[in-house]
Amino acid sequence: MSTAVSPLAPKSLPTLPPVRGVRLATAEAGIRYKGRTDVLLAAFDEGTTVAGVFTKSRCPSAPVEWCRERLSGGSIRALVVNSGNANAFTGKNGRASTKLTAETTAKAAGCSEGEIFLSSTGVIGEPLDATKFSGVMDGLVANGSEDAWEAAARAIMTTDTFPKLATRTAEIGGVTVTLNGIAKGAGMIAPDMATMLSYVATDAAIAAPALQAALSDAVERSFNCVTIDGDTSTSDTLMAFATGKAGNATVTDAADPAFAAFRSALEDLLIELAQLVARDGEGARKFVTVEVAGAESDLSARRIAMSIANSPLVKTAVAGEDANWGRVVAAVGKAGEPADRDLLTISFGDIRVAHQGERDPAYDEAVTSAYMKNEEITIAVDIGLGSGKARVWTCDLTEGYIQINADYRS
Amino acid sequence: MSTAVSPLAPKSLPTLPPVRGVRLATAEAGIRYKGRTDVLLAAFDEGTTVAGVFTKSRCPSAPVEWCRERLSGGSIRALVVNSGNANAFTGKNGRASTKLTAETTAKAAGCSEGEIFLSSTGVIGEPLDATKFSGVMDGLVANGSEDAWEAAARAIMTTDTFPKLATRTAEIGGVTVTLNGIAKGAGMIAPDMATMLSYVATDAAIAAPALQAALSDAVERSFNCVTIDGDTSTSDTLMAFATGKAGNATVTDAADPAFAAFRSALEDLLIELAQLVARDGEGARKFVTVEVAGAESDLSARRIAMSIANSPLVKTAVAGEDANWGRVVAAVGKAGEPADRDLLTISFGDIRVAHQGERDPAYDEAVTSAYMKNEEITIAVDIGLGSGKARVWTCDLTEGYIQINADYRS
């Protein structure tokens, strides 16, 4: 398996400021990897609210079930994330491991199990030996730091080739608040190796229902618009935590105008993290934006965009630097959404390659081929029927994807 | 691009007997390929009935539209298939090319345009120069042979690495009839290169509506159960022709008990052809059967089976000879169909690897790994909820698929 950093990685990592009320610590629990951290503890001050969005898989992991059951409590004191083992499809053992991890954490952190949230990512179907956390938990609680964001992002990586971090600020009622986020990919939303996990912490004071509404809304235009291979993990998790230390008047209504700037910053942060996931797609060499306009509705546009972004033939064409818009037409056609071949317009970047159901009369192979050599490619489709639009992100499909995924478990 | 024959190809090609009333001829029209045949003419005696099933793409090719419009006529005198250019997404030019090809053929064959059916496969979006057919059409009509089935199967190939042929016999009211079929793949149902085309001819006497009913039914358990990459072509076409020369009493009702043996033979023939398509999937090194039982309905089982068969992560695991049943669980989970993780049973071949939501206690990595080295792999899933079942076929996903598809058009 290649360990080279993705060519699409950002040139430098951002330095994340502290978020008051959040302390981070990492350790080597030896779950699967040797010589690297594989467990993250995020400890939160009392009064921290929590929101979450989880995989739609009908076969979710034990930690996902654990989190879902505790989300209605609305408060969190500790998050434990381990990499190396997903604790998914592990039956009763999986539930026991989850319970044991929560007990160990609650005891060390001095809080109730109901305020512990858990994530696991890594191999599926292998029993997770949760006793390995016991030896490191006291140290994790004792060593929490406000400045360990990069270490946190590194501890949750599986096949990621670079850590994913982003930060924003926003104002709520004249008070500046901070939002920090971390994420891991990498074969987006793929099972035993490529679960998508992301966590956002803010010092803003936001009641849990308002935080949940803001998160659920923003995910639609960020993480739900990125795909690597169309596979959905049993463990996908996005959570947000609000410590309330910034001193703003607590937001209780997601529709409060004073909350708008925060919501915008949250969406922007999640888009950056989602794009980082696509930039680290397994084997990715090109970052692809698919824009669909003129569909009958936004939902229809999104389905068409996803059909294009998930098409192996479109993705291999991009890998081959081939402006193969015929495959884009085919992907539109198979989406099952209203579309009329003779109204389609397709562009690669600013170059219109097809119009009204046939190749653009001005089509120039040399110009288009030169565009396809770029590291960032935009495929734009106008359906010509309505005003629905969508934008999704993906990467190309290369031999590297096959190598990584044919080799992973063995 | 590799030109080696798929390792999953049959050891020898069957010799197809004549089908009375069908004459075949091939030629080099020079559409795209050099030094090989690229056009097939099948001429049928008067009185031949026709049925067809076509792509569900919302953006079908011009020849597909042509055929659909003429299917209600119920009779055929000539079929023209060219490889090298799909005449898809070619707008008005595409319709003009189709019309010109039909005119040329009708004139040479001495029949009406309404009895001409057309297919094109190859690059999408490039204008098809139909005048190239003019120079070869008289020769095609003059040189028709009852014994040119293999040549016919070769002329319609694009990236196929071997020709696909199958034959059956059946009795209708005591009269033995013959069914011959040819097909081409290869990246199943993928656009500009991998359109699936298949044609079946029989000397049985069958009215067009009964032939259509039999074909539409059989396709559900044959071609609609094979997938290479989940991509759907703009040109997929399956047609059946019945010349009536065998002398049986004409079948007018698909439910006629005398028709049952024919229908069974037809389904069997189509399954063989569909499996040949999967065996020639682009880059395929392993032939995979996915069997789902215990689903809430047959339709639900089919959707789950297709979710498994289309999962890039399952397919790369098979390529890597890795019994990664965790990815199978994930594929079940993402299908969106009723499933309960803790009721799932998963087997590779006869080896039960997972049971009741966790790894089988008797799981033996060495035994399972040895099984995965086979050229033919069966993945069986019991959902444990009902009696719905389905069986689909696919192949593994290898670096060869990427190489072929990243290189094809350029």
Side-chain angles (χ1 to χ4, degrees), chain A residues 58 60 89 124 126 190-192 231 311 313 322 324-327 333-334 336 341-342 357 359 365 405 409, chain B residues 58 60 89 91 95 124 126 190-192 231 311 313 322 324-327 333-334 336 341 357 359 365 405 409:
Chain A
R58 298 297 186 102
F89 209 61
I124 213 170
E126 300 274 342
D192 54 343
D231 268 332
S311 163
L313 287 161
D322 175 10
N324 196 319
W325 53 268
R327 297 185 184 178
K334 77 164 178 165
R341 184 189 65 202
D342 296 344
R359 190 166 65 188
E365 181 82 24
N405 284 295
R409 206 193 62 135
Chain B
R58 299 296 185 102
F89 209 61
R95 286 187 285 275
I124 213 171
E126 300 273 343
D192 52 344
D231 268 330
S311 162
L313 287 161
D322 174 11
N324 196 321
W325 52 270
R327 297 185 184 177
K334 76 164 180 166
R341 183 189 65 201
R359 189 166 65 188
E365 180 83 25
N405 285 295
R409 206 193 61 136

Side-chain angles (χ1 to χ4, degrees), chain A residues 317-355:
Chain A
V318 173
E321 303 190 333
D322 175 10
N324 196 319
W325 53 268
R327 297 185 184 178
V328 178
V329 177
V332 172
K334 77 164 178 165
E337 294 296 313
D340 180 335
R341 184 189 65 202
D342 296 344
L343 295 177
L344 292 184
T345 297
I346 298 173
S347 303
F348 284 78
D350 292 333
I351 307 164
R352 193 175 78 175
V353 294
H355 187 53

Side-chain angles (χ1 to χ4, degrees), chain B residues 117 129 149 182:
Chain B
F117 286 76
D129 180 5
W149 287 95
I182 61 173

